[in-house]
Amino acid sequence: MGVRTANVQNGNIGETLTGLAEVIHGRRDASPQESYTARLLTDVEDELLKKLAEEASEVIMACKDNDHDHIRYEAGDLVYHLLVTLERYGITLDELAGELNARRH
């Protein structure tokens, strides 16, 4: 389990996801030796996919423990790794939003 994040305040999910996606996109040009995100974007594909599966499993385990703060923490890790995955495969947040919107109709 990760360290609990202190002083978490509610935020705007749209702004947060957009900002995080922009940071992740910018890491494409960073050195993989200096940036974890750059490594995930450029290293062996399976490393990122294993990390995505690991984070999803950690969300599930936190839910099984019914631990609110731990669920939030692990969900943050999962969303980050999902956004890195989307960036690696060229799927934008707008494209993802379109997919989700199309399912609502």
Side-chain angles (χ1 to χ4, degrees), residues 17-28 35-52 55 75-93 96:
L17 291 177
T18 298
L20 182 55
E22 289 170 358
V23 168
I24 290 168
H25 181 75
R27 293 293 193 269
R28 280 197 172 276
S35 168
Y36 174 67
T37 302
R39 261 193 318 278
L40 291 174
L41 290 170
T42 60
D43 209 353
V44 178
E45 175 185 52
D46 283 355
E47 294 306 311
L48 173 57
L49 299 178
K50 281 191 248 179
K51 193 66 180 166
L52 188 62
E55 297 303 341
D77 282 351
L78 178 59
V79 169
Y80 162 77
H81 286 90
L82 177 60
L83 289 178
V84 173
T85 302
L86 295 176
E87 174 67 29
R88 182 168 178 143
Y89 293 96
I91 298 167
T92 66
L93 283 183
L96 177 61

Side-chain angles (χ1 to χ4, degrees), residues 60-100:
I60 292 166
M61 296 310 296
C63 290
K64 295 295 280 181
D65 291 341
N66 196 25
D67 184 334
H68 179 91
D69 291 347
H70 190 200
I71 295 166
R72 183 189 64 232
Y73 180 88
E74 296 300 346
D77 282 351
L78 178 59
V79 169
Y80 162 77
H81 286 90
L82 177 60
L83 289 178
V84 173
T85 302
L86 295 176
E87 174 67 29
R88 182 168 178 143
Y89 293 96
I91 298 167
T92 66
L93 283 183
D94 288 342
E95 189 177 351
L96 177 61
E99 175 69 28
L100 295 172

